[in-house]
Amino acid sequence: MSTRAIIATQTFDRGILATYLHFDGYPEHVLPILVDGYLDPDEAIELIEGGELRSLQPRPAEPEYFATSRQTEVLKDESELDRLARYLNAEHIYFYDDMWRHRKA
């Protein structure tokens, strides 16, 4: 069984970039990795632009992306994250805007 999640960040033009995480999306696993390893907006954008994530491990390990994945989602605003989470059956949303925040989907 997988715990699915959405990882997203606000872009410099105030849009939202988001991607899907398939395995181990629960906060006790993901939040420390994001907080400790993806500390600034450029790192968050790079992680998300890589595509859909199969799994995420603490750095220095590289994120594991799906070989064939959907494009990174470009959303108008943060309110669209809930729609995306429902579509992808994600339980958690992680959002970066000056710091990482978590909420249930």
Side-chain angles (χ1 to χ4, degrees), residues 1-16:
M1 191 74 161
S2 59
T3 303
R4 298 172 180 154
I6 301 296
I7 300 175
T9 187
Q10 192 158 29
T11 63
F12 299 108
D13 65 358
R14 309 301 287 173
I16 304 291

Side-chain angles (χ1 to χ4, degrees), residues 30-87:
V30 173
L31 204 51
I33 292 170
L34 294 174
V35 168
D36 294 338
Y38 299 89
L39 305 173
D40 65 48
D42 291 334
E43 291 174 327
I45 289 170
E46 183 179 336
L47 173 69
I48 294 165
E49 284 183 335
E52 290 183 318
L53 291 155
R54 181 171 162 63
S55 67
L56 186 61
Q57 299 301 319
R59 282 185 160 177
E62 292 294 320
E64 183 181 350
Y65 293 98
F66 283 102
T68 57
S69 68
R70 297 163 16 110
Q71 286 186 311
T72 299
E73 296 282 338
V74 179
L75 309 173
K76 289 184 280 186
D77 58 47
E78 191 175 349
S79 68
E80 291 186 331
L81 288 171
D82 290 315
R83 175 198 53 81
L84 181 61
R86 279 191 305 276
Y87 176 72

Side-chain angles (χ1 to χ4, degrees), residues 19-32:
T19 196
Y20 168 75
L21 172 63
H22 188 70
F23 288 111
D24 299 327
Y26 52 92
E28 298 82 9
H29 177 75
V30 173
L31 204 51

